[in-house]
Amino acid sequence: MTQATEQKPLQNVDASEIAKFEALASQWWDKQSQFKPLHDINPLRLNWVDERVSLSGKRVLDVGCGGGILSESMARRGAEVLGIDMGEAPLNVARLHAEQEGVTTVSYRQCTVESLAEEMPASFDVVTCLEMLEHVPDPSAIVAACYRLVKPGGQVFFSTLNRNPKSWLFAIVGAEYVLRMLPRGTHDYRKFIRPAELARWVREAGLTLNDMTGLHFNPVTGRYWLAPNVDVNYMLGCTRVKAD
């Protein structure tokens, strides 16, 4: 009789997704590159978070930070920021850019959010996880880990893409094939997340949903803005009300 061996759980990462952004790492801070949309929307998402938490003086975790566009901008607002990602090349780019710009209140680590939740529970005033949930196998586990990492009374912010025909048309056909704003294959429609699904994961994790808003784009004018409609891109903010 053979004895069954215990299998360790797989990390909640998608190697193909990491490889996409590894290959583009050198372009993260080129505002005319394929990361131009991230640079264009960053002031909107940064201000939306800052208006709700007053970033200055806060300890912030940025989950899925990539090359550090949001992480560094939050540090410039006076926060002490830790950015985490599983891509080594984007993190190296993020570290180099912060050093070149003299931003000393941001640091970066290559680790999963689940492992950090085990190491540093209830350690952050604010947790951001933007444009990341649609790139992992189990987004609900990311939400739960973000809950564990934020302090009681702290706030967590998510952004992702809705799953419906309109979002498929705008985020994939329009952005990747027609306007070529993003590389083809950047998104997988099957991984898009309906607001009701994300709201359920938020509640199940123990977070209280506070705000939800949509991110909109006019391809003629190139203008981005926030408005209540959440048919395509959307962001939501939550609070961890109680300690465990």
Side-chain angles (χ1 to χ4, degrees):
M1 180 181 296
T2 58
Q3 185 176 359
T5 57
E6 182 181 355
Q7 292 186 345
K8 294 181 179 180
L10 296 174
Q11 288 185 333
N12 187 19
V13 297
D14 185 327
S16 64
E17 293 285 352
I18 294 171
K20 289 178 190 175
F21 296 103
E22 287 266 337
L24 296 169
S26 63
Q27 301 180 36
W28 272 101
W29 286 94
D30 180 353
K31 295 183 180 181
Q32 300 306 316
S33 73
Q34 293 169 332
F35 290 104
K36 184 180 187 300
L38 280 184
H39 287 280
D40 289 344
I41 67 173
N42 193 57
L44 285 174
R45 59 184 189 170
L46 173 65
N47 289 335
W48 196 75
V49 171
D50 198 10
E51 287 166 2
R52 283 152 182 77
V53 300
S54 299
L55 286 165
S56 182
K58 298 296 195 302
R59 191 178 189 196
V60 180
L61 174 68
D62 187 19
V63 179
C65 65
I69 296 170
L70 177 64
S71 298
E72 189 173 306
S73 64
M74 291 192 292
R76 291 177 182 273
R77 291 282 175 98
E80 178 188 345
V81 182
L82 172 62
I84 65 171
D85 202 279
M86 285 300 289
E88 182 179 2
L91 289 175
N92 288 335
V93 169
R95 292 187 187 102
L96 179 60
H97 192 271
E99 181 180 350
Q100 290 173 337
E101 294 294 315
V103 182
T104 60
T105 55
V106 61
S107 59
Y108 298 98
R109 286 182 58 182
Q110 185 179 19
C111 66
T112 65
V113 64
E114 293 93 340
S115 66
L116 193 69
E118 293 292 328
E119 177 188 343
M120 302 176 65
S123 294
F124 298 91
D125 302 302
V126 180
V127 175
T128 58
C129 181
L130 309 187
E131 288 85 52
M132 185 264 197
L133 291 176
E134 68 273 18
H135 296 289
V136 298
D138 184 3
S140 65
I142 304 296
V143 174
C146 290
Y147 164 82
R148 295 196 300 272
L149 281 155
V150 76
K151 298 175 182 177
Q155 296 191 52
V156 183
F157 297 91
F158 300 101
S159 73
T160 190
L161 286 154
N162 201 341
R163 189 174 71 255
N164 57 42
K166 181 177 178 180
S167 67
W168 174 80
L169 182 64
F170 279 69
I172 294 182
V173 176
E176 296 183 18
Y177 288 84
V178 178
L179 299 176
R180 297 183 180 179
M181 297 168 60
L182 300 169
R184 293 185 182 183
T186 296
H187 292 113
D188 180 347
Y189 174 74
R190 295 168 298 178
K191 293 183 177 180
F192 288 6
I193 301 165
R194 295 190 179 103
E197 294 168 336
L198 183 50
R200 184 179 74 248
W201 298 335
V202 161
R203 291 192 301 269
E204 290 173 350
L207 294 164
T208 298
L209 178 60
N210 301 325
D211 296 295
M212 187 180 299
T213 190
L215 178 67
H216 302 269
F217 174 65
N218 184 323
V220 176
T221 63
R223 174 176 170 259
Y224 290 89
W225 73 97
L226 300 181
N229 188 303
V230 296
D231 285 352
V232 185
N233 297 76
Y234 65 97
M235 300 190 292
L236 55 81
C238 322
T239 300
R240 175 175 175 174
V241 178
K242 299 178 180 178
D244 289 334

